[in-house]
Amino acid sequence: MKYESFFSDRIDDLKNEGRYRVFANLERRAGQFPSAVAHTDDGIRDVTVWCSNDYLGQGQNPVVLAALHAAVDKCGAGAGGTRNIAGTNHAHVTLEQELADLHNREAALLLGSGWMANMTCLATLGENIPDLVIISDSKNHNSMIEGIRHGRCDKAIFAHSDLADLEKKLQAYPIDRPKLVAFESLYSMDGDIAPIDEICDLADKYGAMTFIDEVHAVGLYGHRGGGLCEREGIMHRPTIIQGTLAKAFGVVGGYIAGSAALIDFIRSFGNGFIFSTSLPPAIAAAAQASIAFLKEHNEVREHHQERAQTLKNKLSGIGIPVMPSVSHIVPVFVGDAVLCKKASDMLLDDHGVYVQPINYPTVERGTERLRFTPTPLHSDTDMDHLLVAIADVWERLGLKLAA
C-alpha cells in the first residue's frame, strides 16, 4: 500500500467537498477580547472573534488571571504527575469542592477536558456495571459517543429530545435491567434545550440513571451558574452532571459531579482519570476563581443573554437566516459546505470578522452554518460592523435571505 498517497488522497477528498479545516492562527491579547491578532501569509491583522467558546470572556477576567499568576508563583508550572502519583495539588482538591458546591452534590472529580470527562465516565460505567444498557440521544457529542463505544455495553439511540421514542426504547428492556439515559442539556450547534425534567421522569419510571452533559450551560444559566438544571430548579434530578471549565469559565478542564460513592467509583476505576497527568495547579486555581466569581455575578449572565438576543434581532432584521435557537447560540444557515467555507473566508479576509464554518460531520450535510457566539464584551459597534460585513458577503455569494 502507498501510505503517503492514501493520506494525500483522503485530504484532497476533504478539500473537494469543502470540509477541509483551516485553523485561524490567532493571538489573543489579554484585556482586548473579542479583538485578536491573526497571523496570515500576508502578515498580521486585527480581527474580531465571533465564534469563541469563551462565552463570558472569563479568560480575560483580571480576577481569574490574578489567581493563575499567584498559583504559578506559588506552585510552579506543572502538576508533577497523575493524581495517583504526586499529581494531586491542594488546588485540585479545592476546585473539586467548589464544583461540588456549584451543583449541590456530595463530590466532584476533575479531569483534563470535557471530552475526557464524558469519555471516561461513560466508558467506566459501561465496562463495569453488569448488563448495563446506555440509551443515548441521537445528537449527543462525539465524546459521549466514544465513551459509550469504549464501554462495550449494549446501547440504544433515541430520536433527538423525543420523549415518546425515549420511552419506547426504555420499555424494550426489563424494569430491573441496569439502564442509563445519556443526553445534553443544551445542544451547541442548534442552540436547543432538552426537556430535562421529562427525561428524568421517564428514567425514574423505568429504573434508569441519568447522565447530563451541561458543557454549554454551566456558568451561563442559573442564578449561580449551575447550568440549566439550576435554572429549572431540578439540580437534584440527574444522577451525574458533567461540565467543562473551558467555556463559560474561560480556562480548561472537565469534571463530573454526583454522589460521593459514584465519584469515588469513577476515581477508582476510570482509566482516563487514573492514567492522565493532572492539570497544572495554576489552571485549577484560575478555574476555581472563575467559578467563584460567576457564582456572585449573575449580571454577567444577564448581559450575555441580552447580547445574544440583540444579535439575533439585528441579523434577522436584515434578512440573514438565523436558525431557531432558544439559547445564547446564534446559528446562521448556509446549507452548503463550499459556500459556508467561502463565506467564512470572505468575512475574515475582507472584513476582519472571524467565524468558523460548521460543516459535516459536526452537523448533518445540507445544514452547514456559521455559528456566532456573542459575549458580554461584544459592543454595539462590533455588531454593527458584523452586519455590514455579513450583508456584503451574502450579496456577493448570492446566498439566500430569510423569507
Side-chain angles (χ1 to χ4, degrees):
M1 182 177 184
K2 296 181 179 180
Y3 299 109
E4 295 302 316
S5 296
F6 171 80
F7 300 143
S8 298
D9 290 345
R10 290 300 303 272
I11 292 299
D12 287 341
D13 290 342
L14 285 179
K15 290 178 178 178
N16 292 333
E17 294 173 19
R19 296 195 296 118
Y20 181 71
R21 289 179 169 87
V22 178
F23 302 141
N25 184 359
L26 301 178
E27 184 177 340
R28 283 162 61 99
R29 297 289 178 86
Q32 297 181 31
F33 185 79
S35 296
V37 172
H39 292 259
T40 72
D41 293 339
D42 299 322
I44 63 173
R45 61 174 305 183
D46 293 331
V47 299
T48 302
V49 179
W50 277 101
C51 56
S52 174
N53 281 342
D54 187 359
Y55 291 133
L56 301 178
Q58 283 291 102
Q60 308 288 317
N61 188 327
V63 172
V64 177
L65 299 183
L68 188 145
H69 285 299
V72 167
D73 292 339
K74 183 177 182 180
C75 301
T82 66
R83 290 289 297 274
N84 302 283
I85 304 175
T88 295
N89 190 277
H90 184 60
H92 300 122
V93 177
T94 55
L95 172 56
E96 288 171 339
Q97 292 169 348
E98 189 83 65
L99 289 164
D101 175 77
L102 177 67
H103 294 290
N104 195 24
R105 294 303 171 98
E106 292 178 338
L109 187 69
L110 177 66
L111 292 100
S113 68
W115 195 96
M116 185 59 72
N118 272 338
M119 166 75 174
T120 298
C121 187
L122 290 169
T124 303
L125 295 173
E127 288 171 341
N128 288 279
I129 298 179
D131 210 26
L132 178 69
V133 57
I134 298 180
I135 303 170
S136 175
D137 188 285
S138 63
K139 288 193 175 182
N140 276 344
H141 189 265
N142 167 268
S143 55
M144 301 173 76
I145 295 168
E146 290 297 323
I148 295 166
R149 180 179 297 152
H150 282 268
R152 297 191 297 274
C153 64
D154 287 345
K155 67 178 184 297
I157 311 298
F158 67 97
H160 177 53
S161 291
D162 187 325
L163 295 171
D165 193 47
L166 172 59
E167 183 161 26
K168 180 180 177 181
K169 297 297 191 295
L170 286 164
Q171 287 173 334
Y173 301 98
I175 190 69
D176 59 349
R177 180 171 179 178
K179 295 177 284 291
L180 182 148
V181 180
F183 64 106
E184 300 180 38
S185 64
L186 194 161
Y187 290 83
S188 65
M189 291 300 120
D190 294 323
D192 61 311
I193 293 172
I196 303 169
D197 206 25
E198 292 84 350
I199 288 175
C200 290
D201 285 342
L202 287 174
D204 289 347
K205 180 179 178 181
Y206 292 97
M209 297 184 294
T210 47
F211 179 101
I212 187 167
D213 176 321
E214 286 253 51
V215 159
H216 292 275
V218 290
L220 301 167
Y221 297 89
H223 188 74
R224 296 200 313 156
L228 284 162
C229 287
E230 183 192 10
R231 189 189 76 171
E232 301 302 319
I234 53 175
M235 185 88 80
H236 61 288
R237 300 214 62 188
T239 310
I240 308 160
I241 297 174
Q242 182 268 347
T244 185
L245 306 171
K247 293 181 171 60
F249 298 124
V251 193
V252 70
Y255 66 90
I256 56 171
S259 69
L262 185 147
I263 295 303
D264 200 19
F265 177 83
I266 301 300
R267 184 191 70 87
S268 300
F269 291 96
N271 290 334
F273 173 81
I274 294 170
F275 296 104
S276 291
T277 297
S278 56
L279 289 169
I283 294 297
Q288 183 184 355
S290 185
I291 295 165
F293 178 89
L294 288 176
K295 284 179 178 178
E296 301 297 328
H297 290 275
N298 191 48
E299 74 278 2
V300 177
R301 281 179 285 279
E302 292 175 345
H303 189 198
H304 180 231
Q305 290 295 316
E306 177 275 321
R307 292 284 79 189
Q309 189 59 54
T310 296
L311 183 60
K312 291 175 190 177
N313 294 343
K314 285 179 176 288
L315 289 171
S316 297
I318 62 170
I320 300 300
V322 177
M323 301 171 71
S325 167
V326 294
S327 69
H328 61 280
I329 306 297
V330 185
V332 170
F333 181 81
V334 178
D336 179 276
V338 173
L339 290 176
C340 196
K341 178 67 168 61
K342 285 183 178 179
S344 172
D345 290 344
M346 291 168 66
L347 284 168
L348 182 61
D349 296 340
D350 300 340
H351 298 281
V353 168
Y354 172 55
V355 58
Q356 191 73 7
I358 306 296
N359 294 331
Y360 177 85
T362 306
V363 296
E364 296 175 2
R365 297 181 192 273
T367 69
E368 293 84 0
R369 68 202 64 178
L370 301 175
R371 175 181 174 272
F372 294 89
T373 55
T375 74
L377 301 179
H378 283 89
S379 66
D380 287 339
T381 300
D382 292 328
M383 290 192 184
D384 290 342
H385 175 68
L386 171 61
L387 292 180
V388 172
I390 200 167
D392 172 66
V393 169
W394 240 246
E395 181 179 2
R396 288 162 59 194
L397 289 178
L399 296 174
K400 292 181 180 180
L401 296 173

